[in-house]
Amino acid sequence: MYLFQMITPFTPGASLAGGVLIGLSAVILMAFLGRIAGVSGIAARLLGPMSSDAASGLAFIAGLVGAPLVLRLACGALPPLVIGAGNLALVAAGLLVGFGAVWGNGCTSGHGICGISRLSRRSMVATLVFMGMGFATVFIIRHAI
């Protein structure tokens, strides 16, 4: 048995719909505000001195946080959430992801979605690095521990 055992169901319809909505939100943000939909950058701008685009950043983050509430209202319930890690592992993972987003000057949404679609070499390299590290982490956790 694995230390962390997660079974992820195959949901091509929901995955496609989610991908379309993420892409659409990135296009809308770029078209109307000229901004890259990098969640770590949007969140970081909200932590510093408030700027003129703070309202759009707050709205974007509110949409991310509020989406499960909309899903619950629409469907009557949320899908079950099972986290196979303890609090210490979650805190460590969050810190590592935060450090990686700062060090890589972006995250999966900024580099992986917006950067690759703009054919940015830097974003392609960044995405390959963080996806590779994710694959390696899963392999190590499942096979070496």
Side-chain angles (χ1 to χ4, degrees):
M1 185 167 139
Y2 301 126
L3 178 62
F4 302 101
Q5 185 170 6
M6 299 198 145
I7 298 173
T8 305
F10 181 63
T11 57
S15 300
L16 178 63
V20 167
L21 289 173
I22 290 170
L24 183 61
S25 69
V27 168
I28 289 171
L29 192 62
M30 177 60 82
F32 289 103
L33 298 177
R35 291 269 188 204
I36 299 294
V39 176
S40 64
I42 291 171
R45 282 193 300 276
L46 293 176
L47 296 176
M50 289 294 173
S51 64
S52 61
D53 66 343
S56 64
L58 286 171
F60 191 85
I61 299 296
L64 293 175
V65 173
L69 301 174
V70 173
L71 178 65
R72 182 158 192 243
L73 289 173
C75 300
L78 291 174
L81 176 64
V82 178
I83 299 176
N87 290 337
L88 185 59
L90 293 175
V91 169
L95 290 171
L96 287 170
V97 168
F99 175 75
V102 169
W103 194 50
N105 200 23
C107 60
T108 53
S109 53
H111 285 303
I113 297 167
C114 299
I116 290 177
S117 66
R118 293 181 299 114
L119 302 177
S120 164
R121 287 188 196 141
R122 185 174 73 112
S123 290
M124 290 179 197
V125 170
T127 303
L128 287 172
V129 168
F130 60 69
M131 292 301 292
M133 293 307 296
F135 297 153
T137 301
V138 169
F139 180 82
I140 290 168
I141 287 175
R142 290 195 175 175
H143 300 289
I145 295 179

